[in-house]
Amino acid sequence: MNNSKFIVRKAAVLGAGVMGAQIAAHLINANVETLLFELPAERDDPDANVTKAVENLKKQEPAPLSVTAKAAFIRAANYDQHLESLRDCDIVIEAIAERMDWKTELYKKIAPYLGEHTIFASNTSGLSINQLAQAFPENLRHRFCGIHFFNPPRYMHLVELIPCKESDSPMLDDLETFLVTYLGKGVIRAKDTPNFIANRVGVFSMLATMHHAREFGLGFDLVDALTGPLIGRPKSATFRTADVVGLDILAHVISTMRDALPGDPWHKYYAVPEWLQALINNGALGQKTKRGVYQKVGKEIHVLDLAAKEYRLSSAAVDDNIKELLKRKNSADKFAALRTSQDSQAQFLWAIFRDLFHYCAVHLAEIADNARDLDFAMRWGFGWNQGPFEIWQAAGWSEIAAWINEDIAAGKSMSKAPLPEWVLEMGQGIKGVNRDVQGVHRSHGSYAPSTNIFRARSALPVYQRRLFPDRLLSEEVQYGNTIFETDSVRMWHTVDGAGDDGIAILSFKSKMHTISSEVLDGVQQAIDEAERNWRALVIWQIEPPFSVGANLQKATERLKSGEPPSTFSVLAKKLKKTAQSAVLKAARSLNLADALMAGKLAEVEAMVAQFQQTSQDLRYSTIPTVAAVDGLALGGGCEFVMHCDRAVATMESYIGLVEAGVGLLPAGGGCKELALRASQNSKDGDPFPLLKNYFQSVATAQLAKSGEQAKELGYLRLADQIVMNRFELLYVAKAQALALAEMGYRPPLKARNITVAGSTGIATIKGMLVNMREGNFISEHDYLIGAKIAHVMCGGELTPGSLVDENWFLALERTAFIELLATEKTQARVEHTLKTGKPLRN
């Protein structure tokens, strides 16, 4: 291997199918020049197959590309004309169909064209890496490995890195570093076993679930209701996940396990169920064919009923007593109740967990280096809240192990294979701070059965950028030293071996990091403290989201329905949402309080003024302020981001001023800030061309679907930074804050010469709105909201080109906000959205 620094300047992806095209898209997201190869088309344009694949990328949801415009940077190539271009690539990723013969044939074809230091990796989901390596000349195998992305590659955190026997260790380290920082992935080193770690365990879990569903006579929709969020797994649960993956793909993976694992103690279960094969034979492959286990009929979801052999309306519900049981915080009590319950739903849940634990224990040494890798593989690759060993350990290691042994002896488990001896050894706890610690995860590492040690985390330098990495069950993390703390916020700082860097960090303590008067007070206190004693201030939340805006709890408790809003737990995990759900989020993040429901609009206006002042304090403090954004930053959260000196956002940041969705407008300085940016960045002194685009984003409550798109929409500036890996966010944000401080930071001068679009701009926008109203595209109230936003963003009824200061815009914001808030239709929109989760167009 070359001893120089490894940099990926250019990459190639072989295969423009679903996975290959999306891997190419994510490389382009990371600004890596990328060639996408496919077989030449038979007709005019040899690259037509790639061109079609790239066009499809623009239409897919969730979007593989951070912004659609990046599709133009993917270079089309074919195997007949462009193999020579592979010589300049630092990495080549093969992503063709899962056929050993096709892959090896391709390898022999492209091997002579690989550069001297090119890394070649196969994106296989389960084929043997060592067998694939045999297709290469022996002198090239040290640069070959497996690199298994999960679908969709942009969003799924897991990448399994699988070496062959000859893989060069420094090459693997370089590749892991690239995947972690530049592509934002969580990398697990997997062994070369069929389906590797996540698919091996995940597919077994699905097979076990299917087996026990049949044994207990449970319908597919009931099984999904039981095996989704109620047990810490994604909403797609089991059978919906199968539909999303593709029933044909699932059958292929099952067949791979059957053929490659003849001696496995669970081998008899590695079979494609008859009902699944029948669906495949009928072309019902799941989501891609719009029919599989489920199908949509009009607006209704129907599910396959095996007994009736036809589809029926999906309507299954989990028993209330099971729901209550699963809500128990004490895992030991929960699992004891599941095991002893006579309810078939509880027995089913115990059975699928028991067999999952059993399977993972027996196979851990074979498929993974240690228990941490298996648990993270399931969390990052399948979206589970906790990995199997974490769940087991939380429920009581020794007791669960004893119950598994009892069920094995009684013939209740799917396999008679005995638990490994190390399982019993893990029941011998060590003294912890508060209790004895049993299980595979300890504070110093996770158990590795092949070496009989507790393996510490990787010492690769790239992981030093993770100040607070993804935690396991056993890991108690202290987030720095507290500077001050209230019920609403905590200001703190980190200390490393080199000492304190002088950067203070502010984290919100409210649910979903909503912003209340108390949080505003805390932000202002933090700014004062930072100006006195610290070099910079970073706003960073320990868990996403950044902030969904201001607190609605007290207001919603006083709505006529008498029902408080549901929690925001789903929003924290499901960030790829439609405009409709953005409206719901907006409703839950409006700047309302008890004063609103009492009709005290003057008090509301004072609260709005407090919010505006806090935003301005962030902008004009004497120390640099940096917003570290991950996940949702809505309404007031977005306004905080816009007013910090710098924002550092993860690629998966969803940022927007979405208040218009419930009949209001941004009033924490958001409209002012966009008007200021339009004035500062205008050509020929006319802010309207930019302002028109900003108006459209605000008036349509447009939510940026990536950090990159937030720049396009004006919520982020060109100088703001995008981080691919959320676990490196704080590291980069602190570095940005320190850089600003080191430059001798001075706050910007207060803007006193903002050019307004004035009456002409307002009239132009109103003309567009009139046409939309007359065409019945918007309602009369939509027109009013749009007109108010236009009035504020254009600076009011002034002569175009007039110069005003920020206070002028802030006053316009407050007035327009209160005027809209006073209307019955806006209040109806807020109430309706909170009660139904859907927007109201009145």
Side-chain angles (χ1 to χ4, degrees), residues 35 78 90 117 283 311 348 398 437 499 529 580 616 657 667 707 717-718 735 739 772 793 806:
L35 298 168
N78 66 75
D90 300 291
H117 303 296
Y311 290 91
F348 162 78
S398 295
V437 179
E529 167 65 25
Q580 176 174 310
Q616 292 292 89
L657 298 172
R717 295 154 295 198
L718 293 178
M772 295 180 71
M793 294 184 70
E806 290 176 282

Side-chain angles (χ1 to χ4, degrees), residues 11-37 50 53-54 57 64-65 70-71 73-75 93 95 149 153-154 183:
V13 178
L14 310 182
V18 173
M19 281 299 290
Q22 291 195 65
I23 291 170
H26 196 55
L27 287 164
I28 286 292
N29 289 340
N31 293 332
V32 175
E33 182 182 351
T34 303
L35 298 168
L36 180 58
F37 276 80
V50 176
V54 172
L57 289 173
L65 293 157
K70 283 202 166 184
F73 292 93
I74 299 176
R75 292 174 52 192
I93 300 172
F149 288 85
R154 171 183 162 185
L183 296 190

Side-chain angles (χ1 to χ4, degrees), residues 135-288:
F136 277 102
E138 190 172 350
N139 66 326
L140 296 182
R141 293 175 193 166
H142 67 287
R143 292 188 272 130
F144 176 70
C145 65
I147 179 174
H148 180 208
F149 288 85
F150 278 67
N151 190 22
R154 171 183 162 185
Y155 301 99
M156 297 305 293
H157 190 58
L158 178 64
V159 168
E160 292 175 317
L161 189 58
I162 313 100
C164 68
K165 294 178 181 177
E166 294 90 348
S167 294
D168 185 74
S169 292
M171 178 272 289
L172 294 170
D173 292 347
D174 286 340
L175 186 52
E176 182 168 350
T177 297
F178 169 73
L179 291 168
V180 168
T181 289
Y182 296 96
L183 296 190
K185 298 305 175 185
V187 176
I188 298 296
R189 300 273 184 111
K191 296 183 178 181
D192 187 22
T193 55
N195 294 339
F196 313 127
I197 302 174
N199 275 348
R200 177 77 173 272
V201 174
V203 172
F204 169 78
S205 179
M206 294 178 76
L207 288 171
T209 300
M210 292 176 186
H211 167 75
H212 289 300
R214 184 177 65 250
E215 292 291 307
F216 287 98
L218 306 182
F220 294 149
D221 51 346
L222 177 55
V223 169
D224 277 355
L226 285 164
T227 60
L230 281 176
I231 61 170
R233 297 182 186 177
K235 189 176 180 181
S236 58
T238 302
F239 293 104
R240 288 184 187 276
T241 295
D243 272 354
V244 171
V245 169
L247 301 186
D248 54 335
I249 301 300
L250 176 61
H252 173 76
V253 176
I254 294 170
S255 298
T256 299
M257 295 173 71
R258 179 196 63 214
D259 297 340
L261 298 166
D264 190 286
W266 284 265
H267 182 265
K268 68 178 181 179
Y269 299 101
Y270 299 160
V272 178
E274 290 184 5
W275 61 265
L276 178 56
Q277 190 61 56
L279 285 173
I280 295 170
N281 293 343
N282 290 328
L285 306 181
Q287 184 172 281
K288 58 189 172 185

Side-chain angles (χ1 to χ4, degrees), residues 467-480:
L467 302 183
F468 301 101
D470 206 353
R471 303 193 308 279
L472 284 167
L473 171 73
S474 62
E475 296 174 321
E476 296 182 2
V477 180
Q478 173 62 43
Y479 288 93

